[in-house]
Amino acid sequence: MYSSNHLRNIAVNWIEGVSFVNPFAITLTMRVNRFIDISQNLRYFIHRLNRRYLKFAYKRFNKRLKVIPILEGNDVINYHYHLIIDNPFFNRDEEFKKTIQECWSKTPLYNSSIDIDKMGEGWIRYIMKSRSKKSIMDSIDWSNTHI
């Protein structure tokens, strides 16, 4: 059996190996609702974001934004996602941020606590910290990961 530190290093190395063009570090906090699945809520958000930001390329050519979502939270800490979302257009950063805010506000578990910045040094290690995670590998929302 692997230690949690070893698994964390594997996950960090895997994420660092992904080729990003213009990555953003995003934190989305959710309201708790026992009737709505957290992963389903994120899927809804990602679908809206792809449709609004990529427009016809999403519909016609099945283009998608690169997304790596990491879920954190428990009974004490509000559930929230730390995400890496790649903006493929360098000259549209402000539009990208605005579209993320608008799409997030349309989700059923929307909470106004949202943080959007260019991804900086240390973000990957930060989102892979073990605090408020049951399991490092299970905290990666594989069903909503797209690379």
Side-chain angles (χ1 to χ4, degrees), residues 30-39 41 79 108-110:
M30 291 163 282
R31 291 183 299 112
V32 175
N33 183 322
R34 60 189 174 112
F35 300 108
I36 299 174
D37 181 77
I38 292 169
S39 184
N41 189 70
Y79 281 99
L109 299 181
Y110 164 74

Side-chain angles (χ1 to χ4, degrees), residues 50-135:
N50 278 311
R51 195 174 65 215
R52 291 264 322 272
Y53 194 66
L54 298 176
K55 300 180 174 134
F56 293 112
Y58 175 63
K59 289 181 182 179
R60 288 190 185 159
F61 306 112
N62 205 27
K63 297 281 186 189
R64 287 176 164 51
L65 297 168
K66 286 183 184 177
V67 178
I68 299 178
I70 311 297
L71 179 64
E72 279 190 23
N74 54 38
D75 293 338
V76 178
I77 298 171
N78 282 349
Y79 281 99
H80 59 282
Y81 274 101
H82 293 301
L83 301 104
I84 299 170
I85 301 181
D86 199 21
N87 176 6
F89 308 106
F90 284 105
N91 59 344
R92 294 173 56 191
D93 286 352
E94 290 308 312
E95 176 191 351
F96 187 63
K97 290 178 184 181
K98 183 179 178 190
T99 305
I100 288 170
Q101 290 172 334
E102 289 171 356
C103 291
W104 181 244
S105 72
K106 303 288 185 202
T107 65
L109 299 181
Y110 164 74
N111 181 321
S112 61
S113 179
I114 180 172
D115 188 44
I116 307 167
D117 290 306
K118 290 272 209 171
M119 188 172 88
E121 196 80 23
W123 177 248
I124 294 171
R125 294 217 175 263
Y126 174 74
I127 66 176
M128 293 311 299
K129 66 189 180 300
S130 56
R131 193 188 84 209
S132 74
K133 290 182 178 74
K134 293 177 186 169
S135 158

